[in-house]
Amino acid sequence: MRDIYLDNGATTRLCAEARDALLRYSLADFANPSSAHRAGIAASRGLREARETMAAALHCEPGEVVFCSGGTEADGLAVIGAARAARGKHVLASAVEHPAVLGALKVLEADGYACDLVPVTREGLCDPEAVAAAVRDDTAVVSVMHANNEIGTLCDVREIGRAVRKKNPRALLHVDAVQSFGKIPVSVRDLEVDLLSLSAHKLHGPKGTGALYVRKGVRLQPMWGGGGQERGMRPGTENVAGICAMAAAVAVAVRDLAEAEPRMARLRDRLVARVQEAVVDARVIGHPQRRAPHNACLGFSGVMSEVLLHMLEERGVTVSAGAACASRDHTASHVLRAIALHDDIGVIRVTLSRETTEDEIEAAAGAICDCVRALRT
Amino acid sequence: MKRAIVVRYGEVFLKGENRGFFLSKLEQNLRRAVAPCGGRVERLHTRYLVRADDPAGALLSASRVFGVTSVSPAILCEPDLTAIGDAAVACARETADRRGNVSFKIETRRSDKRFPFPSLEISRLVGGRVFTEVGLPVDVHQPALTIGIEVGREATFVYGDTVAGPGGLPVTTAGPVLLLLSGGIDSPVAGWLMQKRGCEVSAIYFHSFPYTGDRTKEKVKDLARLLAGWQGRLRLRVVHFTDIQKALREAGPAELAVVLYRRMMMRIASHAARLDGALALVTGENLGQVASQTLENIATIEEAAALPVLRPLLTYDKSETTALARRIGTFEVSALPYEDCCSLFVPEHPELRARVEVAAAIEARLPIAQWAREAAEASEIIELLDAGLPAAPALV
């Protein structure tokens, strides 16, 4: 049996369009886009087109896209850069943020900022009123995750932003959209955000490339100085090949979204249904409806998640141990602790891509049922 | 100027009739260690001289040969006072560039008595040149830099810095042993200590897939590769232990599981040792580091072994083991997260004083001898070569 890769939340396979762009801008149009000669102009044209593709996908101006090295850098640049450029000394985030955001808060705390985490519900939802209640007069940035990377819960970004601005119109809203972009429509206009992070390798682009949407008028303090690239917000010779490959992958994702989103959701629901039919007390972690279409986060009482992961890998099914819950020396992840999941539940995260087939889902569901039953006997 | 490396060895094994045996093993190991750097080994009276295409690499490799007490990068020169002085000045300049104007003294050994100046005279004359030409202050009592001059029949050379070797006895002078290697901090250190006493180490690892993932196996391979760096190559046997472990767990009370697992490991390792000709088993066990490491448990576990079980870390504090692991370069790998198969299916409070009769009674219901033989014979053999990732040597 061919291996079934269901860990697309961790990373995805490069698509052909991204590969072609990667090769073209590495081998043919490889020049420095800042160079004055024709070769440089060809590279800068690729860069400009990539920026336009990204802007079209995000519903923003090309000038509002800042290219960087990926989700972690985008999160850090947004949260740290915006806080340092603002007057306020308070930063707010949800309790289930990615380590990239939590790490940015640590950096700010060391600089004397006050940072608060807003708790979430047992489904991982972030209540707009709860966020607004935590906003202070000196709150500079509020950071929330669009789709949670572990449990898949979708957060109502627009309502959170509106509640925040009602309390403090100067506070900026940053959204980590690394897991949602390319899986569901992500429009910065509809979401009404100030800053939004995304990463190429989660949507069949290359690793080491990402982007940050920075709404016109929002000021960021760059992390380092240099030659002024990316409007000075992220200086350094642009990773043209990576950026163009990301744009190519984004173009495909956007083109196929209307078809891929419901299909992934349908397959995901089938997987969950199959497992719940066959396995006693298999539960969906996160919100039952409001979740990213590619994410199934499953919990099994009395099962060690890593052992289940290894058994599945033996059967050719690659998933991730959503977090090291119910395992030996490891403690549950901050996300699972934030949703108050019982310690005895082993959690696996199954994440689909638009390439996932029906046969793969059937086979994976069968393997999960078999392995959990075997582990429980 | 021609460069070489001076290699010094300990004198503990120079006494008696075994001297030739130990020295030939040391020389063999040294040749093997420096060969990848294009090193040629020349035996001098009480030292070796290594000339190499890659002197920096050869220095590092030679400093990891057991039996070697220290090594120094040296400048070769003609046996005349001007050439020796030139070399000493060059040596002092290099040190001054790196460490600033440190105090120095000169120490001369003149084994070639045909050389017209006595040692003290050489030191005085050359020291004068270093003082005037380089400007380093002299301190004959506690110098920061000792410049050594050796005038011998075969070669004359000058050296400054000295790098400590590991000491010990040359590997293969004490017979082969089989190390029970896990992914933890202790067992690689135990293996290194046996290598230091002249044992050639091979290793056996018990893998309990899917309860321990392949990342742990990769980690054990990395540790084995690091140990291989101290003896050239190393054979690792991977035993697939899952089914046996499950059967043992089901056969007896949960409190006894660790002791039953470990007794079985002793049996399997004893078989594997015989297959490879090893004379003893080595473990990273310690007395009292964890609650179940009692003398009673150690005795009950050892009873299942068919060979002597050596425990070089028995009396070490955890901090001592960790410090040694850092020194030999295994700590960083060991500190990565790993899954220990002994903690599988085990209650929080395991048996502290397991008795042989109780364990043996449980085992009597199982075909353990056959399982042990089959597990050893079916083990996967991985031959590992030096990782080429030596720990940074300490300048002394």
Side-chain angles (χ1 to χ4, degrees):
Chain A
M1 187 180 63
R2 216 177 119 243
D3 279 359
I4 300 172
Y5 182 77
L6 291 172
D7 198 14
N8 293 284
T11 194
T12 55
R13 187 201 313 274
L14 195 74
C15 66
E17 291 81 355
R19 177 199 59 201
D20 292 347
L22 204 52
L23 289 178
R24 176 180 162 191
Y25 288 96
S26 301
L27 298 172
D29 296 326
F30 63 85
N32 191 320
S34 299
S35 296
H37 42 64
R38 270 177 238 150
I41 294 167
S44 66
R45 189 179 304 131
L47 195 59
R48 195 190 68 222
E49 286 168 9
R51 207 180 296 280
E52 287 165 0
T53 305
M54 300 300 293
L58 289 163
H59 296 169
C60 68
E61 299 288 322
E64 294 176 313
V65 176
V66 173
F67 291 120
C68 63
S69 69
T72 295
E73 190 191 336
D75 282 344
L77 178 58
V79 175
I80 299 171
R84 284 184 180 161
R87 207 169 302 153
K89 289 277 185 188
H90 179 240
V91 177
L92 204 56
S94 89
V96 291
E97 291 304 298
H98 189 272
V101 168
L102 298 178
L105 296 191
K106 282 227 171 69
V107 170
L108 288 172
E109 268 181 341
D111 284 357
Y113 286 76
C115 300
D116 286 317
L117 295 180
V118 182
V120 296
T121 67
R122 297 184 83 106
E123 286 84 33
L125 278 178
C126 196
D127 174 27
E129 290 315 312
V131 179
V135 170
R136 313 194 316 206
D137 281 351
D138 65 341
T139 300
V141 187
V142 175
S143 187
V144 292
M145 214 171 194
H146 197 195
N148 185 269
N149 59 315
E150 291 188 26
I151 60 177
T153 301
L154 284 172
C155 154
D156 194 342
V157 168
R158 187 168 54 180
E159 286 311 310
I160 290 173
R162 287 180 177 177
V164 166
R165 278 187 292 272
K166 205 186 283 178
K167 184 94 178 284
N168 176 355
R170 287 183 310 280
L172 296 173
L173 179 68
H174 167 250
V175 169
D176 177 339
V178 168
Q179 289 287 336
S180 58
F181 185 67
K183 312 294 194 318
I184 58 173
V186 174
S187 156
V188 294
R189 211 174 44 211
D190 295 348
L191 295 176
E192 299 171 6
V193 301
D194 299 300
L195 299 151
L196 183 137
S197 300
L198 56 92
S199 170
H201 76 99
K202 306 290 190 189
L203 41 89
H204 307 279
K207 292 163 186 65
T209 306
L212 176 65
Y213 158 77
V214 183
R215 186 175 56 73
K216 202 180 285 176
V218 169
R219 290 196 312 127
L220 290 186
Q221 185 175 310
M223 295 291 173
W224 56 78
Q229 292 92 342
E230 300 300 299
R231 293 189 290 134
M233 288 194 224
R234 207 285 189 173
T237 298
E238 300 87 342
N239 173 11
V240 181
I243 289 165
C244 292
M246 167 166 66
V250 166
V252 177
V254 170
R255 184 193 72 201
D256 293 349
L257 188 61
E259 188 266 333
E261 183 192 350
R263 207 173 60 84
M264 286 194 291
R266 186 171 52 79
L267 290 177
R268 188 267 322 272
D269 291 343
R270 175 175 308 177
L271 174 96
V272 171
R274 286 271 184 285
V275 172
Q276 288 193 315
E277 275 162 27
V279 179
V280 184
D281 144 51
R283 51 184 282 197
V284 174
I285 313 293
H287 198 279
Q289 287 91 38
R290 290 162 71 172
R291 56 188 307 124
H294 66 300
N295 176 300
C297 189
L298 299 167
F300 305 96
S301 57
V303 168
M304 288 193 284
S305 52
E306 287 124 326
V307 176
L308 179 54
L309 176 149
H310 294 318
M311 278 180 90
L312 287 169
E313 94 175 289
E314 211 172 17
R315 302 267 305 247
V317 179
T318 304
V319 300
S320 102
C325 193
S327 63
R328 288 179 281 275
D329 305 326
H330 318 274
T331 47
S333 77
H334 70 285
V335 176
L336 297 183
R337 271 181 280 134
I339 60 168
L341 196 75
H342 193 269
D343 247 10
D344 184 41
I345 294 177
V347 175
I348 57 165
R349 182 188 69 172
V350 184
T351 39
L352 290 67
S353 80
R354 61 170 185 260
E355 295 169 354
T356 305
T357 66
E358 211 160 314
D359 289 348
E360 287 178 323
I361 286 299
E362 289 295 339
I368 292 170
C369 297
D370 290 351
C371 293
V372 172
R373 278 195 297 247
L375 279 174
R376 279 182 175 169
T377 50
Chain B
M1 268 185 260
K2 282 191 194 160
R3 306 274 166 167
I5 295 147
V6 187
V7 178
R8 305 174 192 84
Y9 43 84
E11 296 182 18
V12 278
F13 55 84
L14 292 185
K15 300 176 178 74
E17 291 173 14
N18 287 332
R19 180 193 157 104
F21 168 71
F22 281 104
L23 275 184
S24 76
K25 290 288 189 192
L26 176 61
E27 191 171 329
Q28 203 179 319
N29 293 348
L30 185 60
R31 275 182 208 287
R32 191 210 62 235
V34 299
C37 306
R40 283 114 26 223
V41 177
E42 188 186 337
R43 189 167 176 170
L44 306 181
H45 183 66
T46 73
R47 274 149 180 42
Y48 290 100
L49 199 62
V50 179
R51 287 167 232 249
D53 304 333
D54 168 12
L59 182 81
L60 220 49
S61 302
S63 73
R64 302 202 306 155
V65 173
F66 288 106
V68 169
T69 53
S70 68
V71 297
S72 299
I75 299 172
L76 293 171
C77 59
E78 292 302 314
D80 79 61
L81 206 54
T82 311
I84 293 170
D86 290 347
V89 165
C91 181
R93 280 221 172 91
E94 284 167 20
T95 307
D97 287 347
R98 224 173 34 246
R99 292 163 54 189
N101 277 358
V102 295
S103 62
F104 83 103
K105 76 166 178 179
I106 307 260
E107 258 180 23
T108 305
R109 281 166 56 121
R110 183 188 57 141
S111 53
D112 182 359
K113 300 299 179 196
R114 297 169 306 179
F115 194 76
F117 299 91
S119 296
L120 282 174
E121 186 69 2
I122 299 172
S123 293
R124 199 179 60 79
L125 292 168
V126 173
R129 276 193 64 186
V130 169
F131 177 72
T132 51
E133 292 178 34
V134 189
L136 298 187
V138 177
D139 181 348
V140 291
H141 302 296
Q142 282 185 311
L145 168 68
T146 301
I147 296 177
I149 298 173
E150 301 204 4
V151 183
R153 278 178 180 271
E154 303 101 329
T156 297
F157 49 86
V158 175
Y159 55 83
D161 287 324
T162 295
V163 173
L169 304 174
V171 167
T172 70
T173 55
V177 295
L178 180 62
L179 168 70
L180 278 74
L181 185 62
S182 73
I185 292 168
D186 296 1
S187 54
V189 177
W192 185 86
L193 284 169
M194 295 315 299
Q195 290 177 316
K196 187 166 183 256
R197 295 324 292 168
C199 294
E200 187 178 10
V201 169
S202 54
I204 188 165
Y205 161 61
F206 295 88
H207 194 41
S208 291
F209 195 89
Y211 298 94
T212 48
D214 280 346
R215 208 171 271 271
T216 301
K217 181 173 158 187
E218 285 306 305
K219 184 180 169 186
V220 169
K221 276 162 70 175
D222 287 344
L223 288 170
R225 206 173 281 120
L226 286 173
L227 286 180
W230 296 88
Q231 63 179 33
R233 59 184 301 153
L234 186 147
R235 168 176 286 192
L236 171 68
R237 281 179 180 271
V238 178
V239 175
H240 295 274
F241 197 49
T242 318
D243 294 339
I244 292 176
Q245 207 174 352
K246 278 186 179 167
L248 289 171
R249 171 61 197 85
E250 281 158 21
E255 293 73 36
L256 216 59
V258 179
V259 168
L260 291 176
Y261 299 162
R262 297 191 78 90
R263 278 170 63 86
M264 200 62 194
M265 290 178 183
M266 289 296 162
R267 288 193 189 88
I268 297 170
S270 298
H271 272 288
R274 290 220 178 91
L275 292 175
D276 292 344
L279 302 177
L281 305 180
V282 179
T283 75
E285 280 171 308
N286 180 274
L287 192 55
Q289 188 180 95
V290 295
S292 62
Q293 284 177 335
T294 60
L295 271 183
E296 289 88 339
N297 279 357
I298 286 176
T300 300
I301 290 162
E302 172 144 350
E303 194 268 343
L307 292 170
V309 180
L310 310 176
R311 299 177 182 84
L313 295 178
L314 191 81
T315 62
Y316 276 48
D317 289 354
K318 189 72 185 179
S319 58
E320 293 172 308
T321 306
T322 304
L324 192 48
R326 283 185 198 279
R327 222 186 90 204
I328 66 174
T330 56
F331 181 80
E332 293 211 330
V333 179
S334 292
L336 298 170
Y338 89 107
E339 300 141 330
D340 175 5
C341 75
C342 277
S343 62
L344 281 176
F345 324 119
V346 167
E348 229 166 280
H349 301 291
E351 177 61 60
L352 300 185
R353 286 169 181 73
R355 285 167 45 221
V356 173
E357 309 84 72
V358 180
I362 295 164
E363 290 162 351
R365 302 195 291 267
L366 304 168
I368 49 163
Q370 183 198 338
W371 285 352
R373 196 181 62 243
E374 286 172 0
E377 284 167 359
S379 59
E380 176 191 357
I381 294 176
I382 303 171
E383 301 284 355
L384 295 158
L385 295 173
D386 183 355
L389 297 167
L395 288 172
V396 291

